[in-house]
Amino acid sequence: MQIPIKRAIERVPGGMMVVPLLAGALIATFFPGTPKYFGSFTGALFSGALTILAVFYVCMGASIDFRATPYIVKKGGTLLIVKIGIALILGLIFGQVLGEAPVAAGMFAGLSTLAVVASMNDTNGGLYMALMGQYGRPRDVGAYTVMSLESGPFLTMVTLGVAGLSAFPWQTLVGAVLPLLVGMIIGNLDREMRAFLSRAIPVMIPFFAFALGAGLDLTKVWQAGLLGLAMGVAVVVLTGIPLFFADRLTGGTGVAGVAAASTAGNAAAVPAIVAAANPAYAEAAGPATILVAACVVVTAILVPIVTAWTAKVVGRGADEAEALDGEPVVPAPVSRA
């Protein structure tokens, strides 16, 4: 007898990230002594988020192809710059008001500059490519090759530093992006290594999600409930509108821009990594992880709806009359949650 566990998890938006994260959080909340009680490999699984993420980013980098057509570079680069630019502007604003610490009490309890920047910085690649496959052109799918440079904590660290908050040593910044760069080099030197490493990307997501969840206390989740919902809506609105017009300026219909207005599943890992690199963010990391995870779920639900509506209003992104002028479409990288 077969039980459709995978299918059930995937019915939940961002399920491979959210469900294991919730499982880890439930164990940490109601059975906090579990890692110490069992120890050994079981205990390591509860505390190994950063190690698993380091391997994840090597594999993620291997999926990125250096070869890209001018259109893909222009499209992906524009969407990348706009998305990061919005996070930077918000980081500057919230950094002046909140600094590194989260809001301590009230309806905005847990809100922090770290949470805002991490939720805005990174696009859900799997969702974007799926939507572009339905509503866009093949080369719009390939644009994610460039946009995937958002992956990881590097740009979040840079944004926080530019916003005038606690800076990170150059070694830390390089160390944050080095696994991704090493993976890119390996994947572009050897296609077989790219195929080999890329297959591991979706497999690792539930494992680092579980380890992240094991560091959360669910007794505080109710404080972030409505705030998490509001932040998810804010991601779609505050990034979706500028991305829509940026896409149109690069020759698109605006559909690709709206499809990019989401939060990546692995963005929930960024607060913990940032806090590990700079203790000034330690207090904000836990609540920020919960809020970013909420943004993953909310944007995964809203973005397909808004993208479908946009495609209906402005017309399908795929125009059969347009030839690709011989430009090869770069294979899209393996999707991330």
Side-chain angles (χ1 to χ4, degrees), residues 16-96:
M16 281 298 175
M17 178 78 191
V18 174
V19 172
L21 187 141
L22 181 59
L26 286 170
I27 294 174
T29 302
F30 297 106
F31 308 100
T34 300
K36 185 177 180 180
Y37 182 80
F38 288 102
S40 188
F41 298 117
T42 300
L45 185 59
F46 280 79
S47 59
L50 294 180
T51 302
I52 300 172
L53 281 166
V55 180
F56 174 81
Y57 285 125
V58 172
C59 297
M60 186 69 207
S63 71
I64 302 173
D65 198 330
F66 284 146
R67 297 173 301 171
T69 65
Y71 176 89
I72 289 174
V73 172
K74 180 178 70 172
K75 173 74 71 176
T78 300
L79 296 180
L80 174 69
I81 291 171
V82 171
K83 192 87 186 280
I84 295 172
I86 296 167
L88 175 58
I89 292 172
L90 292 175
L92 287 167
I93 296 172
F94 280 88
Q96 293 298 315

Side-chain angles (χ1 to χ4, degrees), residues 211-268:
L212 285 171
L216 302 178
D217 183 357
L218 287 182
T219 59
K220 299 179 181 179
V221 169
W222 67 271
Q223 297 176 349
L226 291 177
L227 181 59
L229 174 63
M231 280 190 60
V233 174
V235 170
V236 177
V237 174
L238 296 180
T239 66
I241 294 174
L243 286 169
F244 172 84
F245 289 107
D247 183 30
R248 292 185 70 87
L249 287 174
T250 57
T253 61
V255 176
V258 175
S262 59
T263 301
N266 59 298

